[in-house]
């Protein structure tokens, strides 16, 4: 779940949430045009990429104010293709249909809707690199570089200096020039292979590891790295190979050089950890701290600041890279206990989902998860969207907007943003799920590849219309669906996972994530009996904090006692049966076979006339319009002897077109499909000869 918005919540106060703007282009009170060029020497070769243009309120740094819940920073985006050192790109209007080639804006679609006034204006160009992945899919994406894949102004971006501009409310042209390149702080540390997942400077107890992932590099066709921040317990000695420690793998967002877990972010905790004592405070004596190794992962990825730590058709085999390449490397390098009972998954929000998903998919590797306020565990509620039932992701049947961020004041719910507002806010940052923002990464992780090579989106990002066929492909990532459908087969998850899943969420979760947890509980209880998964829903708690809102040492003590209980000498050791290799899921081969390029091609079919090759005049014909990706808008046209005959007509995928053969000749059905972020394509049916 959102990496930055939570910070804005505290400050958001009592703002009424802004209503999403009407998407239709309304009147055009002004005619604002922005022309962008490049200072000489800044761009060596033409590049593809995304330009984001920001108009922040007077006196505000555009980069300080990009958030969906903060003040109205108008943001416009446009893709560029082969943008060269001598080229100029023009922003004007707002794209009505195509976000692929047009300008798209937030909170207004069009630049012409910008209210007159003074703004601080700045533009950013994110460069894309085009790669052909091992499954044959070809994408243009931005590869992050030790900066956590921000949605704008990432490493290597071209930027214009921020300038104060008065928008006058009439015809006006602004000229801006890219003059700078965004760098990241120079790394102090032992670096290998460049800035991707950067290695930082180590301290006595904080170590950095980084490996080139063979599996990811093979998929992406370029060098790809994964890294980890490793915090060692007090008394750890590199030379003592007999003392071994359990490991907490703490999942979450990009953690850069700031340390693992809460280590080094919280001085008091760090000092106590380094001493190996739990401070007793004024009333109790100090106690020895649990001896654990704490690890976080660094896996900034082309679509987001982290990969969600599982195997997915759009991001590649990140689950395997972390679990089968990086963890063995960590276990080689540090004195860990190499057994599932001593490998713990934990995390909150995004990390909450990652931690539970890793135990559910890899019971052979990990013992247990302590998952806090996880991203939607069950897509009956994707946040507050009823994904399997609703027709629209943004509006309910009664016309009201589906909320997405809330807080509570005086025990009353205050909505801060809607699903529509957040999705529209993402649009200027990137097309085809490339905004490096929350809803887009969910599309990339939960969904498969579309025929356009990019994530197959579950709904129209502009209108919110849900595509049930695309949603169907999300089911393997719907964690309760996955558990129930593997309940008693060879994975035997009913038995395998019993007693190994701990989930916590507050009933006032700011992102409505309690709803997905409740759906998960309902479905797993229905097959496993009440309490099959240990779920805590604390009344009136919000998003954040440790598992069950425990104080940190209280939490670590709970984890430590789980490890002791489930170790070989504990009260309920994990049996080899529940950690057998057969329990493993989310296999890369299956994931890519089902969701990669070959599957996308196999989903397509040209139109087909159902008839003999030769027919006589007067015959009535049926034709299928072909198979297309969900969301394609189709227009059909009968053709005789290679020329259109009659009028073009709209058809729906899966439907049948009818024709009565009145004239002689070679008859075909042509169907043209179009969709935002897809190439418009015309497919022709088989030919049928109409004889007299
Ligand atoms: C812009 O803000 C500055 C203070 O930051 C103020 O002095 C100035 O009057 C403002 N200008 C306009 C046009 O609003
Ligand atoms: C941006 O580029 C200009 C011109 O080359 C230079 O004077 C300025 O210091 C640069 N600014 C930053 C923040 O690098
Ligand atoms: C570990 O052993 C090496 C020699 O093998 C020695 O140089 C080093 O000081 C030892 N480190 C510790 C922490 O004992
Ligand atoms: C602990 O003692 C310090 C001073 O000795 C005091 O300031 C603090 O309030 C005490 N804390 C509690 C919880 O009693
Ligand atoms: C909450 O209560 C305070 C004090 O009564 C009041 O000032 C504030 O407006 C209330 N907020 C809301 C959202 O009702
Ligand atoms: C397996 O589980 C399903 C429900 O998930 C149930 O319908 C079926 O009867 C079970 N089969 C066996 C053999 O227990
Ligand atoms: C669930 O886990 C908590 C610890 O987080 C424990 O106190 C509680 O007894 C467990 N509930 C069940 C039903 O096992
Ligand atoms: C389990 O107990 C045996 C016998 O006391 C001991 O040798 C062994 O180290 C213990 N194993 C663990 C993991 O504590
Ligand atoms: C009014 C306006 O901005 N119309 C645009 C609609 O989208 C197409 C495709 O990008 C543009 O060419 C139009 O200018
Ligand atoms: C025409 C139009 O919809 N303009 C709106 C653009 O967005 C701002 C908020 O940033 C509104 O105040 C305008 O009304």
């Amino acid at each position: 779940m959102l990496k930055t918005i939570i910070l804005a919540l505290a400050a958001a106060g009592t703002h009424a949430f802004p209503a999403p703007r009407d998407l239709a282009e309304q009147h055009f009170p002004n005619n604002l045009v922005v022309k962008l060029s490049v200072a000489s020497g800044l761009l060596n070769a033409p590049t593809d990429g995304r330009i984001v243009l920001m108009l922040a309120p007077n006196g505000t740094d555009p980069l300080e104010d990009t958030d969906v819940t903060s003040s109205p920073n108008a943001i416009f985006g446009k893709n560029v293709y082969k943008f060269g050192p001598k080229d100029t790109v023009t922003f004007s209007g707002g794209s009505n249909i195509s976000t692929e080639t047009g300008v798209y804006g937030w909170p207004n679609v069009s630049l012409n809707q910008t209210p007159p006034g003074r703004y601080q204006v700045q533009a950013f160009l994110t460069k894309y690199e085009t790669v052909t992945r091992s499954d044959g899919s070809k994408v243009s994406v931005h590869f992050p570089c030790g900066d956590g894949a921000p949605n704008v102004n990432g490493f290597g971006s071209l930027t214009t200096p921020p300038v104060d501009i008065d928008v006058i409310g009439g015809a006006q042209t602004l000229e801006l020039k890219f003059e700078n390149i965004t760098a990241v702080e120079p790394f102090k540390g032992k670096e290998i292979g460049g800035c991707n997942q950067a290695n930082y400077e180590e301290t006595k107890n904080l170590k950095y590891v980084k490996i080139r992932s063979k599996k990811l590099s093979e998929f992406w066709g370029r060098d790809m790295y994964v890294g980890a921040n490793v915090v060692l317990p007090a008394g750890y000695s590199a030379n003592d190979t007999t003392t071994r420690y359990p490991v907490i793998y703490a999942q979450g967002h990009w953690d850069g050089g700031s340390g693992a877990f809460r280590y080094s972010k919280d001085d008091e905790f760090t000092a106590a950890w380094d001493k190996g004592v739990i401070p007793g405070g004024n009333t109790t004596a100090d106690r020895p701290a649990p001896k654990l190794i704490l690890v976080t992962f660094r896996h900034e990825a082309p679509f987001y600041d982290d990969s969600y730590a599982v195997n997915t058709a759009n991001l590649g085999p990140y689950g395997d890279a972390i679990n089968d390449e990086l963890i063995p490397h960590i276990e080689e390098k540090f004195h860990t206990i190499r057994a599932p009972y001593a490998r713990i998954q934990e995390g909150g929000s995004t990390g909450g989902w990652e931690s539970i998903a890793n135990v559910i998919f890899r019971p052979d590797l990990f013992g247990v998860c302590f998952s806090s306020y996880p991203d939607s565990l069950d897509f009956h509620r994707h946040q507050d969207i009823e994904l399997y039932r609703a027709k629209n992701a943004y509006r309910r049947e009664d016309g009201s907007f589906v909320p997405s961020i809330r807080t509570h004041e005086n025990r009353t719910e205050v909505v801060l943003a809607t699903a529509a507002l957040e999705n529209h806010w993402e649009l200027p940052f990137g097309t085809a799920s490339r905004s490096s923002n929350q809803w887009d990464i969910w599309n990339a992780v939960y969904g498969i590849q579309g025929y356009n090579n990019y994530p197959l989106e579950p709904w129209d990002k502009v209108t919110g219309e849900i595509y049930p066929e695309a949603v169907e492909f999300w089911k393997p990532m719907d964690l309760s669906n996955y558990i129930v459908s593997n309940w008693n087969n060879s994975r035997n998850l009913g038995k395998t996972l019993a007693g190994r899943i701990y989930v916590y969420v507050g009933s006032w979760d700011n992102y409505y994530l309690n709803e997905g947890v409740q759906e998960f509980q309902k479905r797993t209880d229905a097959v496993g009996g009440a309490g099959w998964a240990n779920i805590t829903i604390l009344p009136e708690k919000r998003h954040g904090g440790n598992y069950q809102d425990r104080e940190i040492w209280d939490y670590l003590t709970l984890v430590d006692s789980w490890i002791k209980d489930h170790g070989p000498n504990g009260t309920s050791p994990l049996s080899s049966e529940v950690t057998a290799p057969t329990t493993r899921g989310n296999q890369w081969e299956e994931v890519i076979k089902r969701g990669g390029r070959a599957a996308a091609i196999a989903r397509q079919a040209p139109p087909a006339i159902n008839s003999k090759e030769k027919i006589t005049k007067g015959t009535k014909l049926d034709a299928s319009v072909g198979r297309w990706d969900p969301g394609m808008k189709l227009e059909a046209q009968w053709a005789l002897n290679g020329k259109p005959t009659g009028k073009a007509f709209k058809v729906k995928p899966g439907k049948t077109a009818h024709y009565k053969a009145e004239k002689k000749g070679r008859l075909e059905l042509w169907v043209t499909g179009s969709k935002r972020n897809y190439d418009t394509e015309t497919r022709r049916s088989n030919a049928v000869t109409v004889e007299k």
Side-chain angles (χ1 to χ4, degrees):
M1 191 53 236
L2 309 159
K3 45 188 166 167
T4 51
I5 284 177
I6 191 69
L7 303 174
L9 276 173
T14 60
H15 292 176
F17 75 94
R21 309 276 166 230
D22 193 337
L23 288 164
E25 300 238 7
Q26 304 152 353
H27 46 288
F28 295 94
N30 54 31
N31 183 9
L32 182 61
V33 174
V34 180
K35 290 196 161 146
L36 288 147
S37 59
V38 191
S40 68
L42 208 64
L43 192 60
N44 301 326
T47 185
D48 290 353
R50 180 77 176 170
I51 296 180
V52 173
L53 169 69
M54 294 190 178
L55 283 74
N58 177 31
T60 307
D61 178 348
L63 281 176
E64 293 292 307
D65 194 36
T66 62
D67 215 297
V68 72
T69 55
S70 56
S71 61
N73 186 343
I75 307 169
F76 301 90
K78 182 174 176 142
N79 287 341
V80 288
Y81 303 91
K82 297 196 168 53
F83 180 62
K86 298 226 151 54
D87 290 341
T88 303
V89 63
T90 302
F91 274 62
S92 65
S95 173
N96 28 51
I97 303 163
S98 163
T99 54
E100 181 62 23
T101 52
V103 170
Y104 201 92
W106 185 88
N108 310 118
V109 179
S110 170
L111 261 169
N112 294 338
Q113 293 162 297
T114 311
R118 177 163 297 181
Y119 295 88
Q120 201 174 128
V121 179
Q122 193 171 13
F124 305 85
L125 166 60
T126 301
K127 291 185 198 167
Y128 289 158
E129 188 180 320
T130 302
V131 290
T132 303
R133 299 179 294 199
S134 62
D135 68 332
S137 55
K138 191 173 166 190
V139 290
S140 280
V141 289
H142 176 69
F143 288 91
C145 220
D147 57 357
N151 58 6
V152 69
N153 197 33
F155 174 82
S157 297
L158 304 192
T159 67
T160 66
V163 285
D164 289 331
I165 300 285
D166 289 315
V167 171
I168 55 173
Q172 187 177 6
T173 299
L174 309 179
E175 292 188 4
L176 305 177
K177 190 175 269 186
F178 290 111
E179 287 179 13
N180 297 84
I181 299 181
T182 304
V184 284
E185 300 223 338
F187 304 112
K188 289 188 238 149
K190 250 187 283 159
E191 195 45 275
I192 53 161
C195 59
N196 183 212
Q197 322 297 352
N199 258 346
Y200 303 88
E201 201 166 28
E202 300 189 335
T203 65
K204 178 165 168 283
N205 284 344
L206 177 56
K207 308 292 176 194
Y208 294 95
V209 298
K210 172 174 162 182
I211 58 161
R212 178 185 179 277
S213 163
K214 208 166 152 268
K215 290 179 183 223
L216 284 172
S217 303
E218 202 174 291
F219 177 65
W220 283 99
R222 77 200 287 282
D223 288 339
M224 297 289 284
Y225 295 83
V226 283
N229 307 355
V230 181
V231 175
L232 302 171
Y236 181 96
S237 163
N239 293 357
D240 172 5
T241 54
T242 56
T243 312
R244 296 196 157 265
Y245 303 88
V247 185
I248 294 184
Y249 291 103
Q251 300 279 9
H253 291 289
W254 174 253
D255 200 14
S258 65
F261 211 49
R262 293 134 190 108
Y263 188 88
S264 86
K265 283 179 202 157
D266 176 340
D267 291 345
E268 223 173 286
F269 174 73
T270 303
W273 179 265
D274 287 348
K275 266 197 285 180
V277 292
I278 303 177
N282 297 355
T283 47
T284 13
D286 289 357
R287 288 169 291 147
K291 296 284 175 99
L292 304 160
I293 293 175
L294 313 177
V295 172
T296 54
F297 298 114
R298 302 195 308 277
H299 47 123
E300 53 175 355
F303 288 86
Y304 201 49
D305 81 331
D306 84 18
S307 69
Y308 272 67
V310 290
N311 295 333
T312 69
N314 289 301
L315 282 91
Y318 271 96
D320 291 353
I322 292 170
N323 295 333
D324 296 336
E325 296 181 300
L326 184 57
I327 288 183
H329 177 78
I330 290 170
E331 297 193 333
E332 196 59 40
K333 216 171 141 128
F334 301 97
H335 309 318
T336 66
I337 298 171
R338 300 173 190 175
Y341 82 90
R343 296 189 194 102
I344 311 303
Q345 285 277 344
E346 78 116 56
S349 205
T350 288
W353 191 91
E354 294 173 354
S355 58
I356 188 172
N358 268 282
V359 171
I360 290 170
F361 291 152
R362 297 300 305 271
D364 62 311
L365 189 62
F366 301 106
V368 67
C369 65
F370 293 91
S371 161
S372 298
Y373 36 90
D375 288 4
S376 310
L377 294 187
D378 179 311
F379 301 141
H380 287 88
R381 294 282 182 161
H382 181 33
Q383 290 206 163
D384 193 44
I385 300 167
E386 294 187 59
L387 198 54
Y388 295 135
R389 204 191 59 78
K391 290 200 164 55
N392 193 287
Y394 302 159
R395 279 183 193 260
R396 301 196 178 104
E397 269 155 40
D398 67 4
S400 63
F401 285 102
V402 176
S404 69
I405 311 180
R406 66 172 166 189
T407 188
H408 283 79
E409 276 181 47
N410 306 341
R411 312 181 52 78
T412 303
E413 180 176 300
V414 180
V415 173
L416 300 175
T418 63
L421 189 77
E422 285 194 279
N423 274 275
H424 292 162
W425 169 78
E426 292 188 357
L427 276 165
F429 292 101
T431 59
S433 296
R434 286 174 297 181
S435 70
S436 211
N437 289 314
Q438 184 65 70
W439 293 90
D440 277 352
I441 183 64
W442 281 332
N443 292 350
V445 169
Y446 301 151
I448 59 168
Q449 288 176 18
Y451 185 57
N452 65 346
N453 298 295
Y454 294 97
L456 181 67
E457 297 182 345
W459 59 74
D460 182 316
K461 208 168 165 75
V462 172
T463 66
E465 179 195 349
I466 290 176
Y467 310 132
E469 286 168 76
V471 167
E472 191 62 29
F473 288 112
W474 281 35
K475 288 209 168 141
M477 291 291 176
D478 174 319
L479 296 178
S480 54
N481 182 75
Y482 174 80
I483 289 174
V484 171
S485 42
N486 290 284
W487 189 259
N488 52 16
N489 59 11
S490 59
R491 291 193 180 119
N492 204 19
L493 295 186
K495 189 160 181 230
T496 297
L497 293 172
R500 297 167 75 178
I501 292 178
Y502 292 76
V503 182
Y504 153 66
V505 73
S507 71
W508 283 358
D509 188 88
N510 299 93
Y511 307 106
Y512 300 84
L513 297 174
N514 51 313
E515 296 183 355
V517 171
Q518 282 159 334
E519 296 288 346
F520 177 88
Q521 183 174 34
K522 192 160 86 188
R523 285 182 177 75
T524 55
D525 277 1
V527 283
W532 176 83
N534 185 318
I535 291 181
T536 310
I537 300 177
L538 288 183
E540 302 184 6
K541 288 285 180 210
R542 293 158 207 247
H543 195 82
N546 296 320
Y547 173 71
Q548 289 184 331
D549 207 32
R550 285 167 187 252
E551 185 272 327
I552 177 68
W553 291 112
D554 181 28
Y555 166 61
L556 291 176
T557 305
L558 173 77
V559 174
D560 197 43
S561 64
W562 192 95
I563 297 166
K564 292 203 164 73
D565 288 348
H566 294 81
N569 296 344
T571 51
S572 44
L574 276 189
S575 72
S576 58
E577 204 186 335
V578 303
T579 57
T582 49
T583 61
R584 177 177 179 169
N586 185 232
Q587 270 97 349
W588 170 241
E589 293 69 24
E590 272 176 35
V591 167
I592 198 65
K593 188 169 167 217
R594 183 173 171 279
R597 186 67 193 150
I601 292 169
R603 282 198 307 275
Q604 314 300 311
I609 303 176
N610 307 312
S611 139
K612 297 178 293 189
E613 259 175 58
K614 289 184 178 161
I615 55 167
T616 49
K617 277 204 296 193
T619 308
K620 285 184 181 164
L621 294 171
D622 284 345
S624 86
V625 299
R627 281 184 284 117
W628 302 77
D629 266 5
M632 296 295 293
K633 300 269 180 289
L634 304 181
E635 194 175 76
Q637 169 73 64
W638 290 99
L640 205 59
N641 298 325
K643 294 212 177 79
T645 176
K647 281 202 179 115
F649 51 101
K650 300 242 179 296
V651 288
K652 288 245 157 79
K655 297 285 188 230
T656 303
H658 305 282
Y659 189 74
K660 190 171 172 199
E662 303 280 16
K663 291 181 194 154
K664 288 198 293 179
R666 263 170 67 85
L667 182 72
E668 290 174 339
L669 180 66
W670 299 348
V671 180
T672 301
S674 58
K675 181 179 172 179
R676 195 177 312 115
N677 304 317
Y678 276 63
D679 290 335
T680 297
E681 186 190 349
T682 300
R683 299 180 188 165
R684 297 183 177 203
S685 73
N686 53 319
V688 169
T689 307
V690 185
E691 298 177 326
K692 62 174 174 167

